[in-house]
Amino acid sequence: MVETKFPKLPVTICPETKVRKKDLDFTTAYQLYNDEELWQFMAKEQIDKLEALLQVCDFSFGIEMNNESYADDVVPLLQRMAIPFEDMFLLCGWREQVIDCRDFFKETLTEAGICYTFNSLAADDLMRRDQLHSEYEYMAENQSSKQWNMDEGYSSRAGGDTYPRRAFGAGRRAGLFIITKVQISDMDYMCGNSFQGFKVHLHSPVQYPRMVNEFFRIPLSQEVSVSVEPILFDTTANVRRYDPSRRLCYYNHERYLRYFKVYSKYNCDIECLSNYTLKTCGCVPFPLPRTKGDRICGMGKASCADMALSVLEEMDLLHELNKTDNFLEHCNCLPSCNALFYNTEISQAMFDWRKLAENIHLIAGVDDNTELSYLSIYFKVSRFIPIKRSELFGISDFLANCGGVLGLFMGVSILSIVELVYYCTLKPLIARTRSSNDRAETARVVKSTLILPPPEYGLAGDIRIRKASTNKW
């Protein structure tokens, strides 16, 4: 049973509203840009902002409106236009205690633009900054996680306030809750394909967050409750001696990544996608890691970058089926030997916060131009059983199985096996050796002689006389 080996799961939140209307009205700017007569009266700054937002909006009809191949200044533009932190978070709580949201949520760059992450590893612990460019930061988190690692969990010296933060127990009281807000006047129904609210991504502490496919939404004026059950894949020590190609997983020290200090399949896939897109398109999308000198893909390269992602996904399927030798062979992104995933159960209800605010006046800083949402995330169980990856058949298992089968079906025991070996090998050898020795010995001939008594006995003299007389005749 595992209880506190792993931290509270990291949470990344991205707003569907990307920019305030006073900075840029996306719908109006897009319509002006597509007008054959009016687009030439647009300011260059307005066009640059529009093109930057097209890279993070879900609006899928603007890819062909710009043929610029590179957009090296897209990230500074997105950071200047991003919704301010205080206009996104109203209230946060951790373990039933109200906390300062700024202390817990740090800025993170994703495909959805400027997002905020709770409880992720620091950039210095997760990424190799010496290999990355210095134009902008991917993650703003800077708290060290020296008392925790993926393979061993928390050290014995780790206290209750160690980072990454961990939840002591299950249920809402031991979890995280957030009240988010959106200004109605800033909503844009074209950039987000009419969706309003927030995207939320739950991921492993050692995984760089991506908002492409894995997320759920928080609608406005809704309360969303997320019950999380961890799934831990652990590998026993006796498997470590096998080659990674046989056990089909990597420990952190066995696989070097150029951009990440911590190995995980997700991080390896991100690095593989970055390398493949650079090779195919000659540029890298802004949220992917890249080295100094690599260009950022503009809208003119958006279709090429999307095609590179689709090709890699197809290669991944064919690679699993062993039907092709492709670029993924060079990536070699096997799963981690120790990995953490999450199963979630999501429930939703109306959050009529206006009625609450009218009666108790606890919610400050909101007005009729504001919409709120409520999110709570907690562990479903305080203890869970990990899934062990272990050796299926070792030498001892093989011998035990052989002995059991022979004993069951043939009545064979260890003594009978020893006797069988003796009579099949040693016994014939000993018999052959004895036979060879017997043939080598020759029979010794012994001549018989007559033994007479001493002369003083009379019998000896008589015999001589008789013998002499006989010879005379």
Side-chain angles (χ1 to χ4, degrees):
M1 301 289 286
V2 178
E3 182 177 5
T4 58
K5 181 179 179 180
F6 293 97
K8 179 70 175 179
L9 73 164
V11 182
T12 298
I13 301 178
C14 303
E16 292 284 6
T17 303
K18 308 299 183 184
V19 61
R20 293 181 294 184
K21 282 290 179 69
K22 67 178 184 179
D23 293 328
L24 180 70
D25 188 335
F26 178 84
T27 301
T28 302
Y30 176 77
Q31 292 173 346
L32 287 175
Y33 193 90
N34 282 304
D35 191 290
E36 296 181 356
E37 297 180 357
L38 298 178
W39 74 269
Q40 55 187 333
F41 297 103
M42 295 179 65
K44 184 179 184 303
E45 182 182 5
Q46 189 178 18
I47 296 177
D48 292 340
K49 289 181 178 180
L50 176 63
E51 293 171 351
L53 281 177
L54 283 172
Q55 296 217 39
V56 297
C57 287
D58 290 335
F59 180 63
S60 57
F61 302 101
I63 293 179
E64 298 180 356
M65 65 173 291
N66 177 23
N67 292 324
E68 292 293 332
S69 298
Y70 306 105
D72 296 325
D73 58 346
V74 62
V75 174
L77 282 173
L78 291 175
Q79 290 175 335
R80 290 199 299 267
M81 292 188 295
I83 300 295
F85 188 91
E86 59 273 10
D87 288 347
M88 180 175 167
F89 292 92
L90 178 65
L91 185 66
C92 298
W94 170 245
R95 299 180 191 166
E96 287 292 296
Q97 300 293 326
V98 176
I99 58 174
D100 187 352
C101 297
R102 287 188 178 275
D103 294 336
F104 279 62
F105 285 89
K106 303 298 181 179
E107 184 178 306
T108 303
L109 189 64
T110 72
E111 292 84 354
I114 306 302
C115 304
Y116 296 91
T117 301
F118 162 81
N119 218 33
S120 177
L121 293 187
D124 289 334
D125 295 333
L126 182 61
M127 309 187 78
R128 301 185 189 274
R129 287 191 169 184
D130 57 329
Q131 298 291 332
L132 297 170
H133 63 88
S134 58
E135 299 169 16
Y136 52 83
E137 296 288 343
Y138 290 89
M139 307 173 67
E141 183 59 68
N142 55 12
Q143 291 196 58
S144 176
S145 56
K146 294 181 179 180
Q147 301 295 331
W148 179 86
N149 63 70
M150 190 66 201
D151 292 334
E152 300 177 3
Y154 287 96
S155 69
S156 58
R157 300 187 303 272
D161 296 329
T162 302
Y163 191 85
R165 303 173 182 90
R166 50 182 170 178
F168 296 97
R172 296 171 67 99
R173 289 180 55 85
L176 172 74
F177 74 86
I178 312 160
I179 299 179
T180 58
K181 63 179 180 178
V182 174
Q183 300 300 319
I184 298 176
S185 58
D186 290 334
M187 293 182 186
D188 189 280
Y189 293 90
M190 182 175 285
C191 179
N193 279 342
S194 77
F195 293 111
Q196 301 299 327
F198 299 87
K199 291 180 180 178
V200 180
H201 176 41
L202 308 180
H203 52 91
S204 169
V206 298
Q207 175 187 342
Y208 187 83
R210 296 193 66 201
M211 306 297 294
V212 178
N213 297 319
E214 300 179 5
F215 63 87
F216 61 90
R217 298 183 188 272
I218 308 176
L220 300 179
S221 297
Q222 294 284 320
E223 185 269 341
V224 178
S225 179
V226 183
S227 174
V228 180
E229 183 175 4
I231 301 176
L232 171 63
F233 287 88
D234 199 5
T235 303
T236 57
N238 59 359
V239 180
R240 188 183 290 265
R241 68 176 183 269
Y242 288 94
D243 188 82
S245 60
R246 293 192 61 190
R247 60 172 130 91
L248 299 179
C249 70
Y250 282 121
Y251 287 96
N252 186 47
H253 67 279
E254 294 178 328
R255 179 71 167 88
Y256 176 85
L257 296 178
R258 183 181 184 183
Y259 299 126
F260 296 95
K261 291 182 179 179
V262 182
Y263 178 83
S264 71
K265 188 180 186 307
Y266 290 97
N267 295 342
C268 184
D269 288 337
I270 291 175
E271 186 167 306
C272 182
L273 176 61
S274 177
N275 295 334
Y276 185 72
T277 307
L278 179 63
K279 177 182 177 181
T280 305
C281 306
C283 59
V284 179
F286 73 89
L288 298 182
R290 60 185 178 87
T291 59
K292 183 179 180 180
D294 294 339
R295 304 292 299 274
I296 298 177
C297 295
M299 293 306 300
K301 293 284 188 177
S303 57
C304 179
D306 291 340
M307 182 61 67
L309 176 59
S310 300
V311 169
L312 275 185
E313 290 175 344
E314 182 179 352
M315 285 183 182
D316 189 31
L317 176 61
L318 296 177
H319 180 67
E320 291 294 330
L321 298 176
N322 294 322
K323 290 186 177 181
T324 182
D325 182 13
N326 50 47
F327 188 82
L328 288 181
E329 290 287 346
H330 305 286
C331 296
N332 196 21
C333 293
L334 295 176
S336 300
C337 291
N338 297 322
L340 185 62
F341 303 94
Y342 302 99
N343 277 340
T344 58
E345 295 180 3
I346 301 176
S347 60
Q348 189 172 320
M350 287 293 299
F351 180 41
D352 198 351
W353 61 273
R354 297 184 190 276
K355 294 293 184 181
L356 181 64
E358 290 175 359
N359 294 317
I360 59 177
H361 304 287
L362 288 178
I363 303 177
V366 296
D367 50 32
D368 293 338
N369 188 43
T370 306
E371 284 289 354
L372 302 183
S373 300
Y374 186 96
L375 171 66
S376 63
I377 303 175
Y378 54 89
F379 281 131
K380 184 178 181 180
V381 293
S382 59
R383 294 177 175 85
F384 58 95
I385 301 175
I387 299 175
K388 288 282 187 180
R389 181 188 284 108
S390 60
E391 188 179 49
L392 184 60
F393 280 103
I395 297 177
S396 59
D397 298 319
F398 176 76
L399 294 177
N401 285 342
C402 290
V405 171
L406 292 174
L408 178 63
F409 293 101
M410 301 178 62
V412 178
S413 65
I414 294 179
L415 291 178
S416 60
I417 292 177
V418 173
E419 291 178 352
L420 182 63
V421 172
Y422 171 75
Y423 281 106
C424 291
T425 58
L426 296 179
K427 186 69 174 178
L429 182 61
I430 294 174
R432 184 176 180 181
T433 303
R434 288 180 176 176
S435 177
S436 299
N437 293 336
D438 291 343
R439 288 195 300 269
E441 292 182 356
T442 56
R444 180 180 299 175
V445 179
V446 180
K447 296 182 178 180
S448 60
T449 57
L450 181 62
I451 300 175
L452 298 176
E456 55 267 20
Y457 293 94
L459 181 60
D462 294 339
I463 294 175
R464 290 193 184 98
I465 294 173
R466 290 176 182 176
K467 186 176 181 181
S469 301
T470 303
N471 291 337
K472 185 178 179 180
W473 286 104

